[in-house]
Amino acid sequence: MWELIREERASLARLVAPLSAEQWATPSLCAEWTVRDVVAHLLMTPAGEPHVRSMVVALVKARGHLWSAGRDVAREYARRPTSELVVELERTAGSRTRPIFVQDANILLDLVVHGQDIAVPLGLDRPVPAAAAVLTLDRIWSMGWPFHARRRLAGVRLRCDLEPGTRGAPQEWEVGGGPEVRGSAAALALLMTGRTAAALPMLHGPGVAGLGARRSLRGS
């Protein structure tokens, strides 16, 4: 798990290092978050932030709205220079530090999904390695809040071909039952976490037609 996390952080650093100032300011797939905000959010985990005190203060200011509080904390962290954000992403790639209220199982999920939140609006390709894809998709499907993927996507079968990996690794991932919805692991991760509008052009199969009416999620 931690080696996959390290690889995702390192590859993300390579992705964002050459971005222009305009690209850093591009709206991500997270509503009200720029690419810069998302990178800052991902950097906060290996830094052990936000601390409980700063999160409580942010929650008070946001009147208890967790999504808005997280956005505001990330924006504050994002004020540092772009070059510093990239260097920190590279330097902390192997870190196992995390805030006390963050579950280890969600760190890889966060990196995979937010990597797409950054890459898709910029028109950049960011394939998800097979091992990271399986752990991430399994985790999203097993969760309730905030995604409720099992409930929202009931009645369709999700399937994806995995990126080539080590010998003996699974070649395909699937879950659910009903008309098939097929796409890359990145596309399914977006769909399952409520980025429906962004995911739809990447999906195909008889189950896709009914997905547009299903509720998307606002948060990140």
Side-chain angles (χ1 to χ4, degrees), residues 42-55:
L42 294 173
L43 278 171
M44 295 177 74
T45 296
E49 298 191 20
H51 298 297
V52 174
R53 174 180 168 76
S54 60
M55 195 63 193

Side-chain angles (χ1 to χ4, degrees), residues 194-210:
R195 281 86 162 156
T196 307
L200 282 177
M202 309 177 197
L203 301 170
H204 58 274
V208 173

Side-chain angles (χ1 to χ4, degrees), residues 62-137:
R63 298 182 179 181
H65 193 281
L66 182 61
W67 182 88
S68 296
R71 175 204 61 200
D72 294 343
V73 170
R75 283 180 176 173
E76 183 67 27
Y77 204 81
R79 290 184 178 182
R80 55 191 68 194
T82 296
S83 57
E84 186 176 325
L85 294 176
V86 174
V87 168
E88 187 174 350
L89 194 55
E90 294 170 337
R91 181 181 63 80
T92 62
S95 172
R96 299 189 179 189
T97 302
R98 59 170 179 75
I100 60 174
F101 47 80
V102 172
Q103 297 183 40
D104 293 347
N106 291 345
I107 297 176
L108 180 63
L109 183 163
D110 223 28
L111 285 160
V112 168
V113 174
H114 283 317
Q116 299 305 316
D117 288 336
I118 292 168
V120 172
L122 295 176
L124 301 175
D125 186 34
R126 183 168 171 76
V128 183
V134 170
L135 288 172
T136 296
L137 297 177

